[in-house]
Amino acid sequence: MSDPASHQDPQASEPINEEKLLTLGKLARGIAHDLKNLLAGVQGNTELALREFKNENLARKALANVMLASRSAHELVEQISAYSRHDNIPHKVLDLRETIAHVERLLEGFVSPAVTLTVELPPKPVCVKANASQMQQLVMNLCQNGLQALGDKGGRLCISLGCDAARQKALLKVSDSGPGISSDILPRIFDPYFTTKELGMGTGLGLAVVQKIVQDCGGEIQATSQPDIETTFSIELPRSLETPVPEAPMPTPEDYPQEKKAILLVDDEPIMRGLGMDILHTLGYRVSVAENGSEALDMVKRHPDYFDLVLSDSKMPEMSGPELAEQLYAVRPGLPFILVTAFNDSGTEARLKEFGVTEIVQKPFLIENLARALSNALNRVGKGS
């Protein structure tokens, strides 16, 4: 008599596996959220100090290193959350030439003199619909992968961009002249957590995240390798014939109103609340603070005409940022509301706009990005829109 266990439906265990994966996904999102809060405090305080220092060279160098470390940690968190998320990250029309040019500027700081970096860009725009930060992450991950393959010996790293007009595809290639990838390993390089690197040299998520970003954009990625000659990652993305919307210019001191605007800052985290106050003061605003949504709602009800804008964290106990926006919309329609969040998707953004959320700022943010969001929100009110 045969063992009944040997005839079990192999699909019977799938719901359990899916449930485990969903639980791990939620756990990863929770960890990423908490880490982003901490990183926002490190990054924001460091950037603020750097803006205030004048000639203290050693202090500036140390703070710059802290800033670099926090940004690197942020990139790691982004890789974890990017692979675990199931929401729809907002996409917009991008010119990939600008994405690659941005990554090239970042690479200039740490590419070894032994490495020859070549960037080949076409004269005309090559546009796709994607998320700007994810596309930068994609190109940077592939470049970092190539640089690690080259190692101390150096060699060639090439980024090339083109298009297939007949098939309406954008073509992106990143290649290096490193030792290559063996044929037995090549089929597994996009598997999550698979890595041949030494402990501490990689998470095994880099290429898995790259593949997921490409797939989320409706594209395809392939890797080819000739040992000791060249390894090439080739990406095809659907090309967009739309024109990118130019980003609003950075606000200048002349853009700020002569009369200081009153901002209500809402955050349950003391570190972020203190940091927010300091940043807003340096940007020339009057600041009031609330520790939660209920307190903020009460303050606006008691002084409905005092505040010019509300700047609120998204995830808070008792009343979340989106719930606060909805409540405030009923009390004072048209009051500019900026939501600061670690996670965002296009569906959520569309719903938030209905309740008067004027701008969404991703956490951790650069001060210049927050300044732009504040300026945009207040200018819309000033123009009567």
Side-chain angles (χ1 to χ4, degrees), residues 26 46 88 93 98 112 118 138 154 161 198 201 206 237 247 252 275 279 287 308 322 324 334 357 362 366 380:
K26 290 179 181 178
T46 304
N88 298 314
V93 179
E98 296 180 3
S112 164
T118 305
L138 180 153
L161 178 66
E198 297 177 7
M201 293 298 294
L237 296 172
E247 198 169 55
T252 63
L275 171 63
I279 291 175
V287 188
D308 297 295
L324 173 61
V357 173
Q362 285 290 111
L366 294 174
R380 284 201 192 102

Side-chain angles (χ1 to χ4, degrees), residues 36 39 43 69-79 363-364:
K36 283 185 176 183
L39 291 171
Q43 183 173 305
S70 70
R71 292 303 298 272
S72 298
H74 175 222
E75 290 173 7
L76 174 60
V77 171
E78 277 297 298
Q79 291 195 21
K363 186 191 295 182

Side-chain angles (χ1 to χ4, degrees), residues 260-297:
K260 286 187 176 182
K261 297 293 186 179
I263 309 294
L264 175 57
L265 173 65
V266 191
D267 201 308
D268 63 307
E269 293 283 346
I271 292 177
M272 296 305 301
R273 211 162 48 241
L275 171 63
M277 284 184 64
D278 291 339
I279 291 175
L280 291 171
H281 282 146
T282 63
L283 292 175
Y285 295 102
R286 286 179 290 150
V287 188
S288 301
V289 295
E291 295 185 7
N292 53 63
S294 300
E295 183 181 353
L297 181 61

